[in-house]
Amino acid sequence: MSYACITCCLILVTAMLCPFIHINFAMQDATLLQPLSLDAGNVSCGADWQRVHRLRERYDAIAVGGRTWNLDQPRLTVRAERLGREPKRQPVRVIFAGSQPCAIQPASVQTFVIGNGGFFEGCDHASDTVSLPMQGHDLRQPLQALYRHGVRSLLVEGGRTLLHSFFRQGFADVVTVFVRASSVDSAVQAACAELGVTFADLRAKPFGEGFLLEAGRAHAHGLREGLEQAS
Ligand SMILES: NC(=O)c1ccc[n+]([C@@H]2O[C@H](COP(=O)([O-])OP(=O)(O)OC[C@H]3O[C@@H](n4cnc5c(N)ncnc54)[C@H](OP(=O)(O)O)[C@@H]3O)[C@@H](O)[C@H]2O)c1
């Protein structure tokens, strides 16, 4: 993969109305002695899963890319076993399907499927599933549409292809990355290489079985899940 390393300007896009966007990712430094298989389920530790479920509870919607949806079949829910208590609310689901056909199973929350010529199926509860158009991988139109549908905050959980689009197009208010690594330096290096970005304002600290990196304006969204609360 050859993604140019760009400086990620974590800015609030004021020229258009779109949700507050938080990008979250979990990964490991590939130089670790015992690499795990590279999916989030294996990479995150218990503390990180709790952090992620706390985040999910705070956001109006959770988004994944079409390949993650099809490969992992994620539930995208806030779960009591991760939180240690009953969730206060559940986010709606957003699938950036692109041209990937996606099977959508009925859920108790609304599902937004963003596509450009693909299709989705399995929607017995059509009123719970909203199809939104997208031109190529341009995020402006779907983000504006989500805002019009009441989504004011969006937690984007991957995969890498979708995240690269958010970074390239400048749609990232906050970024958090959990990295299994042997040192904070290798965690930062690995995250920048994996995500194809460098962060001007990166904060990092040991967290769970790895390190938590954070960039952007967590407090702009009233998030108390900043690094100072994560340990
Ligand atoms: N470590 C983690 O935290 C984490 C989190 C989530 C997923 N994952 C892993 O990531 C893997 C999948 O990642 P992936 O990179 O292959 O796929 P992905 O990012 O989940 O999905 C990529 C697809 O989304 C569609 N898409 C729709 N809108 C897009 C946009 N604006 N920009 C880019 N793509 C857009 C594209 O379809 P078209 O090209 O057809 O338009 C593209 O092929 C899985 O193995 C999953 O386990 C890891």
Side-chain angles (χ1 to χ4, degrees):
M1 257 196 306
S2 64
Y3 285 98
C5 201
I6 55 172
T7 297
C8 179
C9 297
L10 296 167
I11 54 168
L12 183 67
V13 178
T14 52
M16 56 178 262
L17 291 175
C18 81
F20 181 93
I21 293 165
H22 184 146
I23 303 227
N24 187 70
F25 196 69
M27 59 170 293
Q28 64 177 319
D29 177 1
T31 64
L32 272 185
L33 281 180
Q34 291 183 311
L36 303 163
S37 104
L38 270 179
D39 69 51
N42 285 339
V43 173
S44 286
C45 62
D48 192 52
W49 274 121
Q50 185 179 56
R51 180 188 66 84
V52 168
H53 280 252
R54 282 183 185 165
L55 279 180
R56 287 181 179 180
E57 194 179 41
R58 287 168 178 268
Y59 280 81
D60 291 340
I62 306 179
V64 290
R67 274 180 52 76
T68 296
W69 180 261
N70 287 331
L71 291 172
D72 296 358
Q73 302 184 336
R75 284 177 280 175
L76 305 182
T77 52
V78 188
R79 296 197 285 284
E81 71 265 23
R82 296 294 191 188
L83 280 182
R85 59 168 170 76
E86 286 305 313
K88 292 177 189 147
R89 67 169 187 161
Q90 294 290 343
V92 303
R93 309 185 299 183
V94 178
I95 304 158
F96 283 88
S99 60
Q100 310 283 320
C102 289
I104 314 295
Q105 302 309 324
S108 57
V109 296
Q110 209 168 26
T111 306
F112 294 93
V113 184
I114 296 167
N116 51 28
F119 60 91
F120 55 91
E121 57 188 22
C123 306
D124 294 335
H125 299 248
S127 61
D128 294 337
T129 305
V130 179
S131 178
L132 298 176
M134 181 173 61
Q135 308 299 321
H137 285 169
D138 189 341
L139 292 165
R140 281 171 303 179
Q141 184 184 10
L143 290 175
Q144 285 173 316
L146 286 171
Y147 189 91
R148 284 196 299 275
H149 279 274
V151 174
R152 297 292 185 266
S153 58
L154 181 65
L155 180 64
V156 186
E157 292 197 10
R160 269 168 288 179
T161 308
L162 182 65
L163 299 191
H164 284 143
S165 266
F166 272 83
F167 288 130
R168 270 199 306 268
Q169 295 177 45
F171 289 111
D173 294 297
V174 176
V175 181
T176 45
V177 189
F178 171 76
V179 192
R180 283 184 190 264
S182 51
S183 70
V184 69
D185 286 346
S186 58
V188 171
Q189 214 171 10
C192 291
E194 178 76 6
L195 297 175
V197 292
T198 55
F199 301 99
D201 59 345
L202 193 67
R203 284 97 58 197
K205 71 179 286 186
F207 177 69
E209 296 171 22
F211 296 89
L212 184 62
L213 317 184
E214 180 183 278
R217 307 173 316 107
H219 298 290
H221 187 57
L223 283 176
R224 295 172 62 228
E225 241 75 11
L227 288 185
E228 68 273 18
Q229 295 245 338
S231 54

